[in-house]
Amino acid sequence: MRPVYRNLIGLAGFFLIWEGVGRVGLVDPTSLPPPSEVAGTLVGLLGQESFIRDVIATMLAWLIALGISIAVAVPAGLLLGSLPWLRSSTRVLIEFLRPIPPVALIPLIILTIGSGPDAKITLAFYASVWPILFNIIYALDDIDPLLLDTARSFGNSRARVLATVALPHVAPFAYTGLRLSAAIALIVTVSTEYLAGSQIGVGAFIIDEYIAIGGMDEVLAGTVVIGFVGYLVNEGLERAGNRMFRWSDTTRAEALT
Amino acid sequence: MSTMLEVRGLAHRYGAGPDAHVAVEDLAFTVAKDELACIVGPSGCGKSTLLRCIAGLIKPSAGEVSLHGDRVVGVPDDLAVVFQDYSRSLFPWLSVRGNVEFPLRTRVGSRAERRARAQEALGWVGLSDAANKYPWQLSGGMQQRVSIARALATRPALLLMDEPFASVDAQTRADLEDLLLRVRRDHGSTVLLVTHDIDESVYLGDRVLVLSKSPASIVADLKVDLPADRDQISTRGSSTFVELRTEIARLLHDRQPAPAEPAPAAASASSSDELAAERFLAAEREEAHQKTAT
Amino acid sequence: MSRVAGFAQRWAVFVVVVIAWQLITSAAQDVYFPTPWQIVQQGWTLWFTDGDGNVAIAESVTEDILPSLGRVVGGWLLSVVLGVALGTALGRSRTAMDYVGPLFAFFRALPSPALLPVFIVLFGIETGMKLALIVFACIWPVLMNTVDGVRSVDAVKTDTARSFRIPRTQWVTMVVLPAALPKIFAGLRLSLAIAVILMVVSEMVGTTSGIGHALRSAQRQFDLTSMWAWIVLLGIIGYVFNLALLAVERRALRWQPTRSGAANSKQTAKAGG
Ligand SMILES: Nc1ncnc2c1ncn2[C@@H]1O[C@H](COP(=O)(O)OP(=O)(O)OP(=O)(O)O)[C@@H](O)[C@H]1O
Ligand SMILES: [Mg+2]
């Protein structure tokens, strides 16, 4: 059997079970609406302009946050990774900042920034900057000294060595960090949207539907849509990564994250 | 002398239908108890395939293998294999002692005895002091000695070795060869060793089986008439040694199609190369496939 | 001497930043940004004094902090056990992942806080719901990484193990799991970060106990100093969790060849969040 068929059988089985538990009364269908109902709602929602706008708002915030993260983390990571004294002197500071769960900052952000798009972008940025940063620092540490010596022995300058040896080595690690960042940033964006009472965004949509009418099918449909977007982005990043970094042993890069 | 290993009509092909690649074709030979038999053949001719069939790691497409009279189905109990790729064959998460004890866990009940046996086997290969190290802390030659000790510790009726010394430097290789001869003399084991090095096969073996190019079949079965005590310098210089190696070299060479008919040679070479390349790519694809997201 | 210098170098920047923060905030007198000293004092009052100002373990420790910690640790451990067990079983089968792989990858991509309403209607609002949500969110990274790791056992090791005819349990515990361990730990780090996020989120939405709840009510009452104290506490909790996991990882992976530099930064190379 081709794997695709197996994939489809697996999905069908999941939907059948989900449908089944509602039908036989294992769970209350108003708490967990069956997929047939959710699918109907989903189709309806996709035709609704306001919902599409929510999805776009969430994705935009997510993408902007990731963009800022890359812009900050890549140079910072390269700097920290190649200047040991800088890294050791900032290490304690970073070690204290990083573990603060981003959602813990939601109340602070609400009070200081408000609940607009900049709030969720700030938090998603805060959440997604670390994986990229740390992966780059790690990768710079991990370069085979032999490779560096080889490059130097050909009379290359420091900058050239960085560009020709270090960067190619770092790239797959940074990319793996980015994938991780993307996943966490999405969680944080949606969480912020509905904890901070945003006006617009899938998270806001979900909490509004829940509070206003307790419509579980809307909640599930919204979650499925945004989950699907996340899934596609992750798959896309992974495929592209495998293609771009075919030469590298990305298994190792991933094991380090 | 009784027969330890008997191989009859053994054939193996990878894949099925028109794409099938015949790696081994209709092989028959026996190895007597306490004998050290070497199999020598050109690269890619199917030596590893043959060994894996004998070890029961893969099921041959045809023919049968018996070990001290019992037909081999699945991996037999009293057999051990030393692989060429020691760095991947040793478990990096186990210390040297842990690696040697690994196969003993089911075979030896008491912990103390397990430990004693591991220590003893490490002594045979001269690594008593390295027991607590991890494999990566050892040199390549030492790592291969660990895997030899691990195989010997189970006291196998038959020891299979797949190009065990192909990945170490020349000096280490000579040392390991002598180590194998010594250990075998002291403990009387039956060994079937695969190599592509003609000199090595003559130096080590009581017998040399010469295989043809892919698909492997036996071209010659030569007895090595050298004294049991061998020496890297005098043995390799002796006229018997030189004659034998010349004969094997000629056998291997003659089996390559003569220059007069280059077409089949090119065809067979490229087909096996292509296959190798394809296997490599398939393995790579598989690896890539396995890299799911973190 | 160089040790002292190294220590000074490592902490100097941190100390300077904290002092600067103290000076700037006390100069600015901004309600939103209390001074670090005020935060520490507030933390002391919140957690280590009773209603009358005597030194004691405060109610908020037993009512908020401990339950929260219990939920995170409990939910996370549960998902680790389930994820590793399931991942090992699935990874050993060639076809099982073909059936469930895409589904699980989708679950992993779901922003699980969004499912909070569903979990509330299904499991109520108390600990059961929080545990369920944490397990649901944490299990996928652990499971998928375990599958990956389990599949990374190379052919030579498989053959070696088979040639010694070891039993199934020894095969799993001494070959498969150790080989998978580095990948499993990567999953554990990520899932731990996610567990803390979900603990806070689930407590922020309509509960009566927990750190998230306390944080949320401090915000509602505009009690900024308390809010900051809770945030700092969450930072400390995250830090300690990471440290503990790292210690376990170091022990479990001590067989891995390390370069001294690699070992150092490994400490910092963890999933953010
Ligand atoms: N799993 C496999 N699937 C398909 N073909 C295979 C497989 N394993 C080996 N082959 C093919 O069978 C032939 C014999 O392979 P084998 O590994 O037995 O050769 P070998 O004599 O051990 O070579 P070497 O000296 O390089 O180790 C080769 O042409 C190889 O391409
Ligand atoms: Mg071979």
Side-chain angles (χ1 to χ4, degrees):
Chain A
M1 208 173 2
R2 298 242 317 271
V4 202
Y5 296 133
R6 297 210 181 97
N7 295 349
L8 292 175
I9 291 174
L11 286 175
F14 170 72
F15 285 124
L16 276 179
I17 293 172
W18 179 4
E19 184 86 37
V21 291
R23 292 275 151 119
V24 297
L26 269 177
V27 293
D28 179 6
T30 47
S31 312
L32 188 69
S36 49
E37 213 172 290
V38 175
T41 315
L42 187 79
V43 172
L45 280 178
L46 290 179
Q48 249 176 52
E49 207 193 307
S50 66
F51 180 74
I52 299 295
R53 217 180 293 139
D54 282 332
V55 174
I56 292 175
T58 302
M59 288 190 63
L60 263 184
W62 181 32
L63 286 178
I64 294 172
L66 277 180
I68 302 175
S69 286
I70 296 172
V72 172
V74 172
L78 288 177
L79 210 62
L80 287 172
S82 41
L83 301 176
W85 61 267
L86 188 63
R87 180 157 104 243
S88 63
S89 49
T90 49
R91 168 124 133 239
V92 178
L93 191 64
I94 290 177
E95 282 292 300
F96 271 90
L97 279 180
R98 191 181 56 87
I100 300 177
V103 288
L105 299 176
I106 289 179
L108 179 68
I109 297 287
I110 295 175
L111 292 180
T112 52
I113 301 184
S115 53
D118 34 352
K120 50 189 173 188
I121 292 173
T122 310
L123 280 173
F125 158 72
Y126 175 81
S128 58
V129 75
W130 306 113
I132 307 177
L133 184 74
F134 283 113
N135 269 29
I136 292 178
I137 296 177
Y138 186 95
L140 281 172
D141 252 7
D142 183 67
I143 299 181
D144 190 347
L146 189 67
L147 225 52
L148 289 179
D149 288 348
T150 313
R152 275 198 209 106
S153 72
F154 288 122
N156 288 318
S157 69
R158 230 184 125 93
R160 252 192 85 81
V161 171
L162 188 74
T164 55
V165 179
L167 287 184
H169 177 84
V170 165
F173 288 79
Y175 192 83
T176 310
L178 174 66
R179 270 178 43 211
L180 226 66
S181 293
I184 291 202
L186 185 62
I187 293 183
V188 172
T189 310
V190 174
S191 305
T192 315
E193 280 171 355
Y194 84 54
L195 287 175
S198 299
Q199 301 299 317
I200 181 169
V202 179
F205 166 82
I206 288 172
I207 204 76
D208 287 348
E209 291 297 328
Y210 170 54
I211 290 172
I213 48 173
M216 279 306 130
D217 42 348
E218 276 88 358
V219 170
L220 280 171
T223 311
V224 166
V225 168
I226 200 68
F228 193 64
V229 170
Y231 174 76
L232 285 185
V233 169
N234 187 50
E235 286 293 287
L237 284 175
E238 191 178 342
R239 294 255 161 91
N242 281 342
R243 181 159 303 191
M244 273 191 293
F245 304 118
R246 222 180 317 207
W247 43 270
S248 111
D249 183 2
T250 28
T251 342
R252 258 182 72 250
E254 287 186 36
L256 302 172
T257 56
Chain B
M1 258 198 301
S2 61
T3 306
M4 177 57 77
L5 173 76
E6 184 173 5
V7 175
R8 251 176 298 144
L10 190 80
H12 189 77
R13 75 181 74 82
Y14 288 105
D19 294 339
H21 176 76
V22 182
V24 178
E25 198 171 51
D26 197 23
L27 269 178
F29 64 90
T30 57
V31 178
K33 188 165 178 319
D34 293 339
E35 193 176 34
L36 197 165
C38 286
I39 292 182
V40 60
S43 176
C45 75
K47 302 182 297 291
S48 299
T49 308
L50 167 63
L51 222 58
R52 287 161 56 83
C53 286
I54 294 174
L57 289 169
I58 48 177
K59 196 173 168 301
S61 315
E64 62 181 71
V65 177
S66 9
L67 187 64
H68 42 57
D70 309 326
R71 179 154 183 206
V72 169
V73 269
V75 184
D77 233 335
D78 43 3
L79 172 142
V81 188
V82 173
F83 295 92
Q84 171 184 346
D85 198 346
Y86 49 80
S87 61
R88 290 203 284 156
S89 170
L90 292 177
F91 301 108
W93 45 86
L94 296 177
S95 66
V96 166
R97 177 185 288 123
N99 266 288
V100 179
E101 283 182 7
F102 181 84
L104 300 179
R105 282 175 176 263
T106 44
R107 293 174 168 83
V108 181
S110 113
R111 227 190 138 107
E113 183 175 353
R114 226 161 36 216
R115 175 156 293 208
R117 286 228 344 225
Q119 204 57 44
E120 180 191 34
L122 284 171
W124 294 340
V125 299
L127 282 177
S128 304
D129 298 337
N132 291 321
K133 294 204 163 127
Y134 283 108
W136 59 270
Q137 294 169 311
L138 306 180
S139 72
M142 288 162 96
Q143 290 182 28
Q144 190 59 304
R145 269 146 72 193
V146 175
S147 57
I148 293 174
R150 179 173 64 182
L152 290 173
T154 63
R155 316 237 165 103
L158 176 66
L159 176 61
L160 298 176
M161 305 180 95
D162 189 359
E163 309 204 23
F165 313 135
S167 315
V168 294
D169 63 89
Q171 183 58 47
T172 312
R173 181 174 193 147
D175 292 346
L176 287 175
E177 286 168 1
D178 288 334
L179 177 123
L180 177 65
L181 286 177
R182 197 191 69 234
V183 167
R184 181 179 94 90
R185 196 186 50 222
D186 295 351
H187 305 282
S189 348
T190 314
V191 183
L192 180 63
L193 183 143
V194 155
T195 175
H196 63 247
D197 182 328
I198 299 170
D199 286 28
E200 183 172 88
S201 69
V202 177
Y203 183 71
L204 290 175
D206 300 326
R207 250 171 83 204
V208 178
L209 300 165
V210 185
L211 293 191
S212 66
K213 247 190 117 92
S214 181
S217 60
I218 294 188
V219 189
D221 181 347
L222 306 167
K223 190 154 172 44
V224 180
D225 253 331
L226 288 166
D229 275 331
R230 299 184 189 182
D231 172 273
Q232 290 286 353
I233 297 163
S234 61
T235 304
R236 284 178 193 269
S238 75
S239 61
T240 327
F241 183 94
V242 176
E243 273 164 30
L244 252 178
R245 61 158 300 199
T246 316
E247 184 177 353
I248 296 172
R250 190 173 309 118
L251 279 166
L252 282 173
H253 188 257
D254 285 352
R255 284 289 138 176
Q256 323 258 347
E261 32 180 345
S268 87
S270 75
S271 79
S272 92
D273 278 353
E274 254 165 40
L275 238 151
E278 212 179 289
R279 272 174 69 203
F280 179 73
L281 282 179
E284 275 218 323
R285 234 176 285 133
E286 169 120 312
E287 253 171 48
H289 181 70
Q290 287 172 0
K291 283 173 207 148
T292 334
T294 314
Chain C
M1 186 56 217
S2 76
R3 261 197 129 127
V4 179
F7 182 83
Q9 190 197 17
R10 253 179 289 130
W11 286 87
V13 174
F14 180 71
V15 172
V16 167
V17 168
V18 173
I19 292 175
W21 180 14
Q22 172 76 31
L23 292 178
I24 293 171
T25 44
S26 60
Q29 290 292 338
D30 187 328
V31 274
Y32 291 114
F33 294 96
T35 68
W37 180 238
Q38 284 169 326
I39 296 171
V40 169
Q41 280 179 317
Q42 185 66 19
W44 177 263
T45 327
L46 274 175
W47 306 314
F48 298 110
T49 55
D50 58 18
D52 311 321
N54 302 317
V55 176
I57 297 293
E59 214 173 63
S60 60
V61 174
T62 52
E63 299 284 299
D64 294 321
I65 300 178
L66 292 182
S68 284
L69 292 181
R71 285 167 202 146
V72 182
V73 174
W76 181 72
L77 283 179
L78 206 58
S79 65
V80 169
V81 171
L82 291 176
V84 171
L86 220 62
T88 311
L90 287 174
R92 300 248 297 110
S93 153
R94 203 134 259 304
T95 52
M97 274 313 268
D98 282 346
Y99 290 103
V100 290
L103 197 63
F104 288 179
F106 174 72
F107 284 150
R108 185 181 49 183
L110 278 182
S112 13
L115 285 173
L116 189 60
V118 180
F119 276 76
I120 291 178
V121 254
L122 282 179
F123 297 98
I125 202 152
E126 284 312 320
T127 304
M129 173 274 284
K130 287 161 198 155
L131 276 181
L133 188 60
I134 292 177
V135 171
F136 180 82
C138 292
I139 196 168
W140 309 117
V142 178
L143 192 152
M144 297 299 259
N145 274 36
T146 307
V147 169
D148 256 12
V150 163
R151 286 189 167 172
S152 69
V153 183
D154 62 69
V156 181
K157 284 192 189 61
T158 313
D159 278 352
T160 306
R162 282 181 59 207
S163 75
F164 289 125
R165 282 182 62 100
I166 53 163
R168 212 167 249 279
T169 41
Q170 191 185 347
W171 160 248
V172 172
T173 55
M174 290 187 71
V175 181
V176 173
L177 283 179
L181 222 47
K183 274 244 151 189
I184 293 178
F185 269 103
L188 296 191
R189 282 193 299 262
L190 182 59
S191 65
L192 189 57
I194 294 179
V196 176
I197 291 183
L198 280 159
M199 178 263 277
V200 177
V201 172
S202 66
E203 288 173 351
M204 275 183 172
V205 176
T207 343
T208 50
S209 78
I211 299 176
H213 167 72
L215 185 60
R216 190 70 160 176
S217 41
Q219 176 219 330
R220 294 230 167 93
Q221 291 156 21
F222 223 72
D223 180 359
L224 280 143
T225 321
S226 294
M227 197 179 85
W228 273 95
W230 287 110
I231 291 176
V232 170
L233 179 71
L234 278 169
I236 294 172
I237 289 174
Y239 182 72
V240 171
F241 277 176
N242 265 328
L243 225 56
L245 183 60
L246 196 75
V248 175
E249 179 174 349
R250 281 248 180 80
R251 240 196 107 65
L253 298 183
R254 113 198 104 175
W255 49 269
Q256 281 198 323
T258 46
R259 243 180 259 148
S260 61
N264 277 337
S265 80
K266 183 129 199 170
Q267 184 177 351
T268 49
K270 278 155 292 177

